[in-house]
Amino acid sequence: MRILKQCILFATCVLTAAALFAAPKPNIVLIYADDLGFGDLGCYGARGVATPNVDRLAREGLRFVNGYATSSTCTPSRFSILTGRYAFRQTGTGILPGNAPLIIQPGSATLPAVLQRAGYTTAVVGKWHLGLGATNVPLDWNGEIKPGPLEVGFDHCFIFPATADRVPCVYVEDHRVLNLDPADPIRVSYQKPLSGEVAYKDVPRTALKMISNSGHQDTVINGIGRIGHMTGGRAALWKDEDLADDFIRRAVQFIEKERERPFFLFFAAHDVHVPRAPHPRFVGQSRLGLRGDQIVEFDWSVGRILETLDRLNLTDQTLVILSSDNGPVLDDGYDDEANEKLGEHRPAGPLRGGKYSIFEGGTRVPLIVRWPGQVKPGVSSALISQVDFTATFAAMVGQRLAPEDAPDSQSVGPALLGHSPVGRTSLVEYGLRREKALRAGDWKYIPPARTQDGLGPWRNVSVPPPGFLFNLVQDPGETNDLAATLPERVATMSAELAAITNPVPRRASAPPAPVKNTR
Ligand code: NG6
Ligand code: CA
């Protein structure tokens, strides 16, 4: 009996070791840019700005031309990338104010939580914008700040709470505001002005680093008007020009510290979101003005990460994945000459629209994956959504997901690693006004809605019944609406979209096609 038990134990050990060997656990570094468009990088055809470090990543890895954020704004895209769930399934997942509570359920099977379960040390460095604190309990920025990243799967966080144009303009490290002087407590309001704040209306224009042309006219911090009111916390305020340096310092420290074990780093850059105040050493480094200079700053950050992996001999055992949370925008509320200095550059490449829009420029973004020896370098046209990362990485590290976990996430490992040219069959895109569209194969269907076109300034566009139908391969710029000539395709795609987006699909004249869960 004892011998039998020992044999079983031995066999179990051998099998476990074999399974581990079959599924090497790479470190995973997810580099997430903010508002970086499909055409904003050298390897995607950018003009007037050089991105040698990202281009190196693309040369050594796989560059996707059909990679998608789930939404054309930040919060819903970040919600999806971390939860494997489309944001339209949960109310309150639109662009959040800086004092919003956490919108991800603590304890749920998020991307970092699943990796943590698989033995990874996990960290988020950079922009958060998914809320902090409990619902219905006003957050005290001077106390313990939770729940937040540490309650949804991250072992460490070094973040700013929302966006750089929203207060509070401070870093949160784990559960505390960094460098906070208790004698100078932070107060934050998104409702009304605060007594003692430096109000935009009172600051002479000559004392501002940039003029706010829309919104961004509440409290002035570091010479820049912000959304929301803030007083106090003076020793804790970040300097916009140092955001990239501060984030990279933490990211490099984390990689150095965790070099011996599998780690997951979610590096969520501020670049190239407004306000555009890159470090002075990047100013003038592109021909596109400050927005282009910020692309250079982003590329520098990527270079620092790649250099660190090289220096620590981690390159071969690290999967680096780079993408953006939504498409590009030019004038996003500050006079920073993004339009005036654009020249020949096309931030969304050949795509129509950009940030906020349901057209392709809103959600189709750069996507590059590098894992030397595992990913064959090249270009892939496989259809991939960021919502797939949770199931894909879970499968890669041998973690099972329950049916209710990451419900929209499909395991697309073979496509992501370049072993298959086929990813998803379809995906949902989601705009600022909660408008949705279906991309299926070469086709895109946008139901009747209102959306925005352009890159700021915008043009409102009404999508009339029965919606717009485009063949994206023949018509990447979405100019030739085929809905009237192909009514059956409109009907099929409309039914598929309804089946995915309605929890209980409503029966039309024909029953909608069932949604396949390929996980
Ligand atoms: C908008 C802001 C814009 C930006 C955006 C969020 C104004 C006029 N516009 O409301 O500047 O902050 O919200 O961007 O205030 S995102 O990338 O985080 O979704
Ligand atoms: Ca964004």
Side-chain angles (χ1 to χ4, degrees):
M1 191 61 190
R2 223 168 96 200
I3 290 178
L4 184 66
K5 264 190 189 161
Q6 277 175 351
C7 284
I8 291 172
L9 188 69
F10 178 71
T12 314
C13 289
V14 169
L15 287 175
T16 312
L20 282 176
F21 185 71
K25 283 183 190 159
N27 304 311
I28 300 171
V29 177
L30 168 56
I31 302 173
Y32 209 39
D34 198 350
D35 298 359
L36 187 77
F38 188 73
D40 270 330
L41 297 167
C43 52
Y44 282 89
R47 295 192 213 169
V49 56
T51 56
N53 293 297
V54 179
D55 298 353
R56 170 193 165 194
L57 192 73
R59 220 174 32 247
E60 296 172 357
L62 191 59
R63 184 172 69 83
F64 290 82
V65 292
N66 285 306
Y68 285 82
T70 62
S71 168
S72 60
T73 59
C74 167
T75 300
S77 287
R78 284 163 204 260
F79 177 85
S80 297
I81 205 172
L82 292 185
T83 63
R85 196 164 165 231
Y86 283 132
F88 54 73
R89 302 208 188 282
Q90 182 175 314
T91 54
T93 52
I95 299 171
L96 294 180
N99 61 351
L102 178 68
I103 57 168
I104 298 177
Q105 182 65 37
S108 55
T110 61
L111 170 60
V114 167
L115 293 173
Q116 226 176 23
R117 231 159 52 193
Y120 280 68
T121 307
T122 58
V124 51
V125 174
K127 171 174 175 172
W128 181 239
H129 213 186
L130 290 163
L132 292 167
T135 312
N136 297 326
V137 184
L139 186 66
D140 178 5
W141 293 97
N142 308 291
E144 220 186 7
I145 297 165
K146 62 192 267 196
L150 270 49
E151 284 65 43
V152 299
F154 288 106
D155 294 307
H156 305 289
C157 80
F158 182 86
I159 54 169
F160 63 58
T163 57
D165 56 347
R166 284 173 174 75
V167 300
C169 300
V170 293
Y171 296 123
V172 174
E173 183 167 31
D174 296 340
H175 286 138
R176 297 265 167 196
V177 167
L178 185 74
N179 293 334
L180 180 65
D181 173 3
D184 184 28
I186 294 171
R187 282 190 306 150
V188 169
S189 162
Y190 274 78
Q191 272 77 45
K192 49 180 184 358
L194 293 170
S195 63
E197 76 173 318
V198 182
Y200 187 85
K201 64 177 174 41
D202 300 332
V203 176
R205 300 299 89 132
T206 48
L208 292 170
K209 288 185 181 167
M210 57 187 87
I211 302 292
S212 306
N213 61 34
S214 163
H216 308 108
Q217 289 170 6
D218 298 330
T219 302
V220 172
I221 293 169
N222 189 28
I224 299 171
R226 315 280 168 163
I227 306 173
H229 307 274
M230 174 181 180
T231 60
R234 272 163 295 190
L237 296 175
W238 73 58
K239 230 180 127 217
D240 300 77
E241 293 81 354
D242 292 339
L243 285 169
D245 283 335
D246 292 345
F247 289 150
I248 275 298
R249 196 173 312 113
R250 295 300 166 136
V252 169
Q253 270 168 16
F254 174 75
I255 296 173
E256 281 171 347
K257 187 158 170 279
E258 303 304 327
R259 59 193 291 184
E260 301 293 344
R261 44 186 170 178
F263 61 82
F264 169 55
L265 170 64
F266 179 30
F267 181 79
H270 156 66
D271 297 320
V272 298
H273 197 279
V274 294
R276 300 184 179 121
H279 190 274
R281 71 184 184 278
F282 299 112
V283 174
Q285 294 296 311
S286 78
R287 294 203 303 271
L288 308 179
L290 293 170
R291 183 173 185 277
D293 299 345
Q294 246 182 302
I295 296 177
V296 176
E297 184 172 79
F298 173 70
D299 185 69
W300 170 84
S301 299
V302 174
R304 289 286 289 121
I305 291 174
L306 299 186
E307 209 174 278
T308 306
L309 296 174
D310 289 342
R311 173 168 55 84
L312 300 174
N313 274 326
L314 294 174
T315 300
D316 287 351
Q317 63 209 66
T318 304
L319 187 157
V320 178
I321 182 161
L322 180 149
S323 201
S324 173
D325 68 339
N326 53 251
V329 59
L330 292 172
D331 183 341
D332 209 10
Y334 296 96
D335 287 344
D336 58 14
E337 299 190 300
N339 273 294
E340 292 80 345
K341 299 211 165 145
L342 191 60
E344 303 263 86
H345 179 64
R346 294 166 77 196
L351 309 178
R352 180 170 177 180
K355 182 175 182 178
Y356 308 119
S357 177
I358 199 64
F359 292 115
E360 288 292 286
T363 51
R364 209 194 304 177
V365 286
L367 174 64
I368 300 169
V369 179
R370 186 192 76 172
W371 185 11
Q374 304 283 338
V375 169
K376 197 162 161 258
V379 177
S380 170
S381 48
L383 195 58
I384 307 268
S385 169
Q386 291 168 5
V387 81
D388 297 329
F389 292 179
T390 301
T392 303
F393 290 124
M396 205 178 280
V397 302
Q399 287 296 309
R400 265 180 184 284
L401 289 175
E404 66 275 16
D405 296 340
D408 297 304
S409 195
Q410 297 182 5
S411 181
V412 291
L416 202 68
L417 300 184
H419 303 162
S420 160
V422 184
R424 289 179 155 254
T425 52
S426 67
L427 54 79
V428 180
E429 301 170 49
Y430 189 41
L432 173 72
R433 303 180 189 195
R434 306 169 71 104
E435 68 275 33
K436 301 180 193 80
L438 183 78
R439 162 99 202 244
D442 295 349
W443 296 88
K444 161 110 169 245
Y445 169 63
I446 310 176
R450 282 174 70 71
T451 194
Q452 281 172 231
D453 197 3
L455 298 176
W458 298 274
R459 197 162 54 84
N460 289 326
V461 174
S462 277
V463 183
F468 284 158
L469 180 71
F470 300 112
N471 182 312
L472 294 177
V473 172
Q474 288 160 10
D475 176 26
E478 296 171 283
T479 53
N480 185 18
D481 170 28
L482 300 170
T485 45
L486 294 168
E488 291 94 30
R489 191 172 288 281
V490 168
T492 322
M493 291 187 72
S494 165
E496 185 180 350
L497 183 59
I500 298 170
T501 55
N502 294 339
V504 184
R506 246 189 258 136
R507 271 178 197 279
S509 46
V515 191
K516 267 203 210 122
N517 185 351
T518 58
R519 202 175 64 222

